[in-house]
PDB file of all heavy atoms in Angstrom:
ATOM      1  N   GLY A1323      -7.223   6.234 -24.123  1.00 90.00           N
ATOM      2  CA  GLY A1323      -6.356   5.565 -25.066  1.00 90.00           C
ATOM      3  C   GLY A1323      -6.485   4.071 -25.145  1.00 90.00           C
ATOM      4  O   GLY A1323      -6.215   3.496 -26.196  1.00 90.00           O
ATOM      5  N   GLY A1324      -6.872   3.411 -24.057  1.00 92.00           N
ATOM      6  CA  GLY A1324      -6.901   1.941 -24.053  1.00 92.00           C
ATOM      7  C   GLY A1324      -7.785   1.358 -25.139  1.00 92.00           C
ATOM      8  O   GLY A1324      -7.353   0.480 -25.906  1.00 92.00           O
ATOM      9  N   ALA A1325      -9.003   1.867 -25.232  1.00 92.00           N
ATOM     10  CA  ALA A1325      -9.922   1.359 -26.256  1.00 92.00           C
ATOM     11  C   ALA A1325      -9.447   1.708 -27.655  1.00 92.00           C
ATOM     12  O   ALA A1325      -9.582   0.922 -28.600  1.00 92.00           O
ATOM     13  CB  ALA A1325     -11.327   1.941 -26.021  1.00 92.00           C
ATOM     14  N   ALA A1326      -8.860   2.903 -27.795  1.00 94.00           N
ATOM     15  CA  ALA A1326      -8.353   3.332 -29.112  1.00 94.00           C
ATOM     16  C   ALA A1326      -7.177   2.449 -29.548  1.00 94.00           C
ATOM     17  O   ALA A1326      -7.068   2.095 -30.728  1.00 94.00           O
ATOM     18  CB  ALA A1326      -7.933   4.797 -29.052  1.00 94.00           C
ATOM     19  N   LEU A1327      -6.306   2.090 -28.613  1.00 97.00           N
ATOM     20  CA  LEU A1327      -5.185   1.222 -28.951  1.00 97.00           C
ATOM     21  C   LEU A1327      -5.668  -0.161 -29.366  1.00 97.00           C
ATOM     22  O   LEU A1327      -5.172  -0.733 -30.332  1.00 97.00           O
ATOM     23  CB  LEU A1327      -4.224   1.149 -27.754  1.00 97.00           C
ATOM     24  CG  LEU A1327      -2.890   0.426 -28.018  1.00 97.00           C
ATOM     25  CD1 LEU A1327      -1.792   0.999 -27.118  1.00 97.00           C
ATOM     26  CD2 LEU A1327      -2.986  -1.083 -27.779  1.00 97.00           C
ATOM     27  N   ALA A1328      -6.650  -0.679 -28.638  1.00 96.00           N
ATOM     28  CA  ALA A1328      -7.195  -1.997 -28.977  1.00 96.00           C
ATOM     29  C   ALA A1328      -7.819  -1.990 -30.369  1.00 96.00           C
ATOM     30  O   ALA A1328      -7.666  -2.962 -31.130  1.00 96.00           O
ATOM     31  CB  ALA A1328      -8.229  -2.410 -27.933  1.00 96.00           C
ATOM     32  N   LYS A1329      -8.469  -0.905 -30.714  1.00 96.00           N
ATOM     33  CA  LYS A1329      -9.065  -0.786 -32.046  1.00 96.00           C
ATOM     34  C   LYS A1329      -7.986  -0.718 -33.113  1.00 96.00           C
ATOM     35  O   LYS A1329      -8.084  -1.357 -34.175  1.00 96.00           O
ATOM     36  CB  LYS A1329      -9.949   0.458 -32.109  1.00 96.00           C
ATOM     37  CG  LYS A1329     -10.702   0.618 -33.413  1.00 96.00           C
ATOM     38  CD  LYS A1329     -11.634   1.840 -33.355  1.00 96.00           C
ATOM     39  CE  LYS A1329     -12.387   2.016 -34.676  1.00 96.00           C
ATOM     40  NZ  LYS A1329     -13.281   3.185 -34.619  1.00 96.00           N
ATOM     41  N   LEU A1330      -6.930   0.064 -32.840  1.00 97.00           N
ATOM     42  CA  LEU A1330      -5.836   0.169 -33.800  1.00 97.00           C
ATOM     43  C   LEU A1330      -5.111  -1.174 -33.965  1.00 97.00           C
ATOM     44  O   LEU A1330      -4.692  -1.539 -35.076  1.00 97.00           O
ATOM     45  CB  LEU A1330      -4.841   1.237 -33.332  1.00 97.00           C
ATOM     46  CG  LEU A1330      -3.605   1.478 -34.221  1.00 97.00           C
ATOM     47  CD1 LEU A1330      -4.021   1.955 -35.604  1.00 97.00           C
ATOM     48  CD2 LEU A1330      -2.667   2.500 -33.567  1.00 97.00           C
ATOM     49  N   ALA A1331      -4.987  -1.912 -32.878  1.00 98.00           N
ATOM     50  CA  ALA A1331      -4.305  -3.222 -32.926  1.00 98.00           C
ATOM     51  C   ALA A1331      -4.982  -4.202 -33.864  1.00 98.00           C
ATOM     52  O   ALA A1331      -4.329  -5.118 -34.388  1.00 98.00           O
ATOM     53  CB  ALA A1331      -4.223  -3.802 -31.522  1.00 98.00           C
ATOM     54  N   MET A1332      -6.274  -4.031 -34.066  1.00 96.00           N
ATOM     55  CA  MET A1332      -6.998  -4.916 -34.969  1.00 96.00           C
ATOM     56  C   MET A1332      -6.512  -4.794 -36.403  1.00 96.00           C
ATOM     57  O   MET A1332      -6.691  -5.706 -37.205  1.00 96.00           O
ATOM     58  CB  MET A1332      -8.502  -4.624 -34.880  1.00 96.00           C
ATOM     59  CG  MET A1332      -9.121  -4.926 -33.527  1.00 96.00           C
ATOM     60  SD  MET A1332     -10.861  -4.433 -33.403  1.00 96.00           S
ATOM     61  CE  MET A1332     -11.603  -5.617 -34.525  1.00 96.00           C
ATOM     62  N   GLN A1333      -5.869  -3.681 -36.750  1.00 97.00           N
ATOM     63  CA  GLN A1333      -5.339  -3.458 -38.075  1.00 97.00           C
ATOM     64  C   GLN A1333      -3.861  -3.855 -38.163  1.00 97.00           C
ATOM     65  O   GLN A1333      -3.246  -3.792 -39.246  1.00 97.00           O
ATOM     66  CB  GLN A1333      -5.459  -1.974 -38.469  1.00 97.00           C
ATOM     67  CG  GLN A1333      -6.871  -1.434 -38.353  1.00 97.00           C
ATOM     68  CD  GLN A1333      -6.921   0.082 -38.477  1.00 97.00           C
ATOM     69  OE1 GLN A1333      -6.048   0.683 -39.107  1.00 97.00           O
ATOM     70  NE2 GLN A1333      -7.913   0.703 -37.854  1.00 97.00           N
ATOM     71  N   GLY A1334      -3.285  -4.242 -37.029  1.00 97.00           N
ATOM     72  CA  GLY A1334      -1.860  -4.533 -36.985  1.00 97.00           C
ATOM     73  C   GLY A1334      -1.520  -5.966 -37.410  1.00 97.00           C
ATOM     74  O   GLY A1334      -2.373  -6.847 -37.445  1.00 97.00           O
ATOM     75  N   LYS A1335      -0.220  -6.141 -37.669  1.00 96.00           N
ATOM     76  CA  LYS A1335       0.306  -7.468 -38.031  1.00 96.00           C
ATOM     77  C   LYS A1335       1.448  -7.821 -37.076  1.00 96.00           C
ATOM     78  O   LYS A1335       2.056  -6.921 -36.468  1.00 96.00           O
ATOM     79  CB  LYS A1335       0.837  -7.435 -39.474  1.00 96.00           C
ATOM     80  CG  LYS A1335      -0.250  -7.075 -40.501  1.00 96.00           C
ATOM     81  CD  LYS A1335       0.352  -6.963 -41.889  1.00 96.00           C
ATOM     82  CE  LYS A1335      -0.717  -6.551 -42.905  1.00 96.00           C
ATOM     83  NZ  LYS A1335      -0.143  -6.374 -44.278  1.00 96.00           N
ATOM     84  N   PRO A1336       1.750  -9.112 -36.922  1.00 96.00           N
ATOM     85  CA  PRO A1336       2.802  -9.529 -35.981  1.00 96.00           C
ATOM     86  C   PRO A1336       4.197  -9.216 -36.512  1.00 96.00           C
ATOM     87  O   PRO A1336       5.004 -10.117 -36.773  1.00 96.00           O
ATOM     88  CB  PRO A1336       2.543 -11.024 -35.827  1.00 96.00           C
ATOM     89  CG  PRO A1336       1.878 -11.421 -37.117  1.00 96.00           C
ATOM     90  CD  PRO A1336       1.034 -10.249 -37.526  1.00 96.00           C
ATOM     91  N   HIS A1337       4.515  -7.942 -36.647  1.00 94.00           N
ATOM     92  CA  HIS A1337       5.800  -7.503 -37.184  1.00 94.00           C
ATOM     93  C   HIS A1337       6.836  -7.335 -36.079  1.00 94.00           C
ATOM     94  O   HIS A1337       8.027  -7.597 -36.271  1.00 94.00           O
ATOM     95  CB  HIS A1337       5.621  -6.200 -37.944  1.00 94.00           C
ATOM     96  CG  HIS A1337       6.865  -5.636 -38.549  1.00 94.00           C
ATOM     97  ND1 HIS A1337       7.480  -6.223 -39.638  1.00 94.00           N
ATOM     98  CD2 HIS A1337       7.658  -4.604 -38.178  1.00 94.00           C
ATOM     99  CE1 HIS A1337       8.575  -5.522 -39.932  1.00 94.00           C
ATOM    100  NE2 HIS A1337       8.686  -4.540 -39.056  1.00 94.00           N
ATOM    101  N   PHE A1338       6.382  -6.908 -34.884  1.00 97.00           N
ATOM    102  CA  PHE A1338       7.279  -6.664 -33.755  1.00 97.00           C
ATOM    103  C   PHE A1338       7.027  -7.718 -32.655  1.00 97.00           C
ATOM    104  O   PHE A1338       5.939  -8.238 -32.529  1.00 97.00           O
ATOM    105  CB  PHE A1338       7.057  -5.282 -33.151  1.00 97.00           C
ATOM    106  CG  PHE A1338       7.321  -4.145 -34.124  1.00 97.00           C
ATOM    107  CD1 PHE A1338       6.252  -3.506 -34.759  1.00 97.00           C
ATOM    108  CD2 PHE A1338       8.602  -3.703 -34.391  1.00 97.00           C
ATOM    109  CE1 PHE A1338       6.491  -2.472 -35.635  1.00 97.00           C
ATOM    110  CE2 PHE A1338       8.848  -2.677 -35.261  1.00 97.00           C
ATOM    111  CZ  PHE A1338       7.787  -2.047 -35.895  1.00 97.00           C
ATOM    112  N   THR A1339       8.079  -7.973 -31.877  1.00 95.00           N
ATOM    113  CA  THR A1339       7.946  -8.869 -30.728  1.00 95.00           C
ATOM    114  C   THR A1339       8.304  -8.092 -29.464  1.00 95.00           C
ATOM    115  O   THR A1339       9.437  -7.610 -29.337  1.00 95.00           O
ATOM    116  CB  THR A1339       8.868 -10.092 -30.853  1.00 95.00           C
ATOM    117  OG1 THR A1339       8.516 -10.808 -32.035  1.00 95.00           O
ATOM    118  CG2 THR A1339       8.709 -10.994 -29.648  1.00 95.00           C
ATOM    119  N   PHE A1340       7.357  -7.973 -28.551  1.00 98.00           N
ATOM    120  CA  PHE A1340       7.564  -7.265 -27.300  1.00 98.00           C
ATOM    121  C   PHE A1340       7.790  -8.275 -26.169  1.00 98.00           C
ATOM    122  O   PHE A1340       7.298  -9.401 -26.232  1.00 98.00           O
ATOM    123  CB  PHE A1340       6.340  -6.392 -26.958  1.00 98.00           C
ATOM    124  CG  PHE A1340       6.311  -5.070 -27.690  1.00 98.00           C
ATOM    125  CD1 PHE A1340       6.829  -4.935 -28.959  1.00 98.00           C
ATOM    126  CD2 PHE A1340       5.726  -3.966 -27.083  1.00 98.00           C
ATOM    127  CE1 PHE A1340       6.789  -3.725 -29.631  1.00 98.00           C
ATOM    128  CE2 PHE A1340       5.680  -2.744 -27.736  1.00 98.00           C
ATOM    129  CZ  PHE A1340       6.209  -2.622 -29.017  1.00 98.00           C
ATOM    130  N   PRO A1341       8.520  -7.895 -25.133  1.00 97.00           N
ATOM    131  CA  PRO A1341       8.751  -8.807 -24.009  1.00 97.00           C
ATOM    132  C   PRO A1341       7.482  -9.096 -23.197  1.00 97.00           C
ATOM    133  O   PRO A1341       6.547  -8.301 -23.216  1.00 97.00           O
ATOM    134  CB  PRO A1341       9.800  -8.063 -23.162  1.00 97.00           C
ATOM    135  CG  PRO A1341       9.599  -6.627 -23.497  1.00 97.00           C
ATOM    136  CD  PRO A1341       9.181  -6.580 -24.933  1.00 97.00           C
TER     137      PRO A1341
END
Side-chain angles (χ1 to χ4, degrees):
L1327 188 150
K1329 184 177 180 180
L1330 179 62
M1332 294 175 68
Q1333 306 169 27
K1335 301 175 182 177
H1337 180 72
F1338 299 100
T1339 300
F1340 279 32

